[in-house]
Amino acid sequence: MDLTPIKVASAILKHHGISMCIAGELALNYYNVPRVCHDLEICVLKSSSLVAARLLCSTGLFNSCELDTDFNNYTEYKRDIPRVQTTYWCPPQTIVIFNAAFLGFDAIEDVLIPPIDGQTIHISKEIQLNRDDIANLHLPRLAALLKGLARRYLDTRDDVAMIAVEQLVDGMNIDEVWVERQLKGSDAAILDLVMSQVRNKRLRIDYYTENKITCFISDEEEAKKMVVGEACGVLVQEIAGNHSEGWGTILYILLFHFQLRAMIQERLNDAAIALHRVLSREQVAFGIFGGYAIATFGGPRESKDVDCIASASKDQIIQLLNGKQGFQVIPQSRQDYVALFWSDRADRGNAVLMEVFCEKFPGSQYAMGDVSCNTVSIKGSSLGEGMACFLDPFYLFKGKLRATATRAKFHDSADLRMLMGKYEGVLKSHAHELDLEYVGLSLKRYPEHERLFEQLGVDIEQAKRAANGLDLNRLPAPAPGDVQRGILG
């Protein structure tokens, strides 16, 4: 993503005496969360959001715009919020302007990260900027951002806020000691919410990855870089300031484009197109599922990889893909799963992680014979227009049902509800095929799902009985074929 618009907007607003703070996905990137930046989001003082939008538009560098989407639980928080979009001077980029109360900020200056000098610098791998660039971004302190998001979820049940709370805990490997110190004096409900996410960090690690610390931090060496400041709740190793440019530097800013490393949807599309070209040519049935599929069918939803299930064995997938069309296998011992990187660059840069779950493996019990898929036209950033094959919404729902039953990632719950809102009729017609044990476990983890399953016509009491003897904290160890069972079983 091009950060020039946010720097230009900052300079314009400062010139008019309006303080701002970066929020949303860019702030999460700064705190080591791999989120796709769909829009740039900022906060300004209460009652200043409309004024800020008018000032930006008065320069001719921005125009007012509306949110061009059907609202769902991933976009509802942007309803009726002022938005502007860049004009002719750079590729279209939208800035959403919230008032500070959105995150519970009383004064913008109080929540900004202060300048830190003389420290060893470690910059999040999710935001590829140098020290000076970061020093000119108006970023919020970790404690203030986390507390504001937690309060927003408790007050409004905003799914996006809850997902962000969870991801900040995982991105920074926040522990109980930090929470007690940095959120001291917060409401008991906020402390309970954040503490519950801290205690469940390990439960959010996908069992087929090699991460040992959190779902975003692989090992102790990486974790040591994510040290959280004792005094003000910022990263000890990071540098960030609250400097701004004046009008005289705007033309200078326009000459430079600063890019985020966060994976964009179009890059994932490239990988999906490449996969489709190979597997369809070889007549291998497959279907994409998971977060990337949700994003394709349901609107803004971040994902860092592409998951699919294929009617093939591990050896067949390796033979078809390894070293061909940009694919490179990642060695691992499981027989029901192949991990690959895809990149069309000579240096293997900006590679996309692909995870292929195999229908055929020793002990496999389920087949893809009757599974419906949709071939969809998508557009990649380098491969252009192409096709990709996605599982039908009911199978996406089944996959997410299994996820809510077996791990503690809140976006799985949000995905279930988004699919329900968009495909209720389709899901109702197949509800009798749902695994009642998974439904029962999902209800244990998310009691609020009861209404959803009632609407689908699921026998709630029977589902609860099916999971009665299972403890969410002592579920059987994950085993090969679990993902396949969730989708095909």
Side-chain angles (χ1 to χ4, degrees):
M1 175 177 285
D2 183 1
L3 293 187
T4 305
I6 203 77
K7 297 171 79 68
V8 171
S10 172
I12 294 170
L13 295 178
K14 182 187 178 185
H15 178 77
H16 290 280
I18 296 178
S19 299
M20 60 156 275
C21 175
I22 291 172
E25 293 147 341
L26 179 54
L28 295 176
N29 287 155
Y30 176 74
Y31 287 115
N32 200 45
V33 175
R35 288 281 290 266
V36 177
C37 285
H38 299 95
D39 294 327
L40 294 169
E41 299 178 7
I42 64 173
C43 286
V44 297
L45 287 177
K46 188 175 181 179
S47 77
S48 296
S49 54
L50 287 172
V51 174
R54 286 196 293 268
L55 287 172
L56 293 176
C57 291
S58 71
T59 65
L61 298 174
F62 299 89
N63 283 330
S64 178
C65 66
E66 299 296 327
L67 184 60
D68 184 22
T69 185
D70 294 328
F71 288 101
N72 58 37
N73 53 326
Y74 285 115
T75 57
E76 180 62 33
Y77 76 103
K78 298 181 184 181
R79 188 189 291 270
D80 299 327
I81 303 298
R83 300 162 56 85
V84 298
Q85 189 174 63
T86 54
T87 54
Y88 59 89
W89 55 277
C90 76
Q93 179 62 59
T94 299
I95 299 178
V96 187
I97 308 172
F98 298 91
N99 69 57
F102 179 82
L103 288 175
F105 298 161
D106 294 323
I108 296 295
E109 291 80 2
D110 293 343
V111 302
L112 294 176
I113 296 175
I116 305 174
D117 295 318
Q119 299 286 348
T120 300
I121 305 304
H122 172 74
I123 296 174
S124 163
K125 64 180 181 294
E126 302 304 332
I127 184 167
Q128 194 167 337
L129 300 173
N130 62 38
R131 172 177 176 149
D132 292 335
D133 295 335
I134 291 179
N136 287 306
L137 293 178
H138 299 248
L139 290 155
R141 293 184 295 113
L142 178 57
L145 179 61
L146 183 61
K147 181 178 177 179
L149 288 164
R151 170 48 61 198
R152 176 162 178 79
Y153 173 71
L154 291 169
D155 290 345
T156 67
R157 296 294 159 177
D158 177 3
D159 286 342
V160 174
M162 184 63 236
I163 291 169
V165 168
E166 184 179 272
Q167 292 181 329
L168 283 172
V169 169
D170 292 336
M172 294 306 302
N173 191 27
I174 290 172
D175 59 23
E176 294 183 8
V177 173
W178 184 91
V179 174
E180 291 171 354
R181 181 179 292 116
Q182 299 299 332
L183 300 186
K184 184 178 180 180
S186 299
D187 293 349
I190 290 177
L191 292 173
D192 288 345
L193 179 67
V194 177
M195 282 294 196
S196 69
Q197 304 313 307
V198 170
R199 296 183 185 115
N200 286 328
K201 282 187 292 187
R202 295 299 178 94
L203 298 179
R204 292 191 288 273
I205 300 176
D206 291 318
Y207 70 90
Y208 48 83
T209 72
E210 296 183 356
N211 283 21
K212 304 298 183 185
I213 308 301
T214 75
C215 56
F216 300 145
I217 299 175
S218 60
D219 53 32
E220 289 291 348
E221 182 178 354
E222 184 179 357
K224 289 176 182 177
K225 298 176 181 178
M226 297 293 109
V227 177
V228 184
E230 298 292 326
C232 57
V234 302
L235 297 182
V236 169
Q237 295 115 316
E238 290 197 20
I239 181 73
N242 55 358
H243 310 297
S244 295
E245 297 81 3
W247 271 105
T249 62
I250 288 180
L251 291 179
Y252 172 79
I253 295 170
L254 295 179
L255 298 177
F256 294 90
H257 287 183
F258 303 102
Q259 301 295 323
L260 286 180
R261 181 177 179 269
M263 196 69 69
I264 59 173
Q265 180 82 11
E266 288 77 13
R267 186 63 176 167
L268 297 176
N269 288 351
D270 282 329
I273 291 168
L275 182 70
H276 183 83
R277 288 176 178 175
V278 176
L279 295 187
S280 61
R281 184 182 66 233
E282 299 296 332
Q283 298 184 328
V284 174
F286 78 101
I288 294 170
F289 64 96
Y292 168 67
I294 298 293
T296 302
F297 284 112
R301 157 73 158 87
E302 84 291 340
S303 182
K304 62 184 184 297
D305 55 21
V306 177
D307 301 315
C308 85
I309 187 166
S311 181
S313 67
K314 178 178 181 177
D315 289 342
Q316 287 174 313
I317 293 296
I318 291 174
Q319 183 178 2
L320 290 174
L321 295 177
N322 194 28
K324 302 170 185 175
Q325 301 294 319
F327 290 99
Q328 185 175 54
V329 167
I330 303 169
Q332 51 85 31
S333 60
R334 284 184 48 172
Q335 291 301 306
D336 71 325
Y337 161 80
V338 182
L340 310 101
F341 281 126
W342 175 86
S343 178
D344 56 350
R345 300 182 182 180
D347 63 357
R348 305 295 300 168
N350 203 11
V352 176
L353 174 63
M354 310 282 292
E355 298 176 309
V356 181
F357 292 86
C358 303
E359 173 198 46
K360 303 171 183 178
F361 59 92
S364 60
Q365 302 178 47
Y366 307 101
M368 289 185 64
D370 297 326
V371 174
S372 300
C373 296
N374 294 307
T375 302
V376 177
S377 176
I378 56 177
K379 184 177 181 180
S381 60
S382 61
L383 298 185
E385 297 286 346
M387 308 301 291
C389 193
F390 295 84
L391 294 180
D392 272 359
F394 176 65
Y395 294 99
L396 298 181
F397 187 89
K398 287 182 70 177
K400 283 299 173 181
L401 172 60
R402 175 199 161 273
T404 62
T406 59
R407 69 183 187 185
K409 285 188 177 180
F410 187 81
H411 65 61
D412 295 324
S413 169
D415 288 342
L416 268 192
R417 287 178 278 112
M418 189 283 293
L419 289 167
M420 177 64 174
K422 193 165 186 177
Y423 301 106
E424 182 175 352
V426 173
L427 300 180
K428 273 186 175 180
S429 66
H430 291 280
H432 61 281
E433 300 175 37
L434 295 176
D435 186 307
L436 289 180
E437 182 179 290
Y438 283 155
V439 173
L441 287 170
S442 179
L443 289 169
K444 282 189 175 186
R445 197 179 302 279
Y446 302 103
E448 63 270 25
H449 286 179
E450 185 162 330
R451 183 170 179 273
L452 180 153
F453 290 119
E454 284 178 344
Q455 287 179 281
L456 289 178
V458 174
D459 188 326
I460 300 298
E461 294 307 315
Q462 188 176 352
K464 289 180 178 179
R465 287 195 296 272
N468 184 50
L470 297 174
D471 183 339
L472 291 177
N473 295 314
R474 297 181 179 179
L475 293 177
D482 282 358
V483 172
Q484 291 86 335
R485 174 196 166 191
I487 295 172
L488 305 177

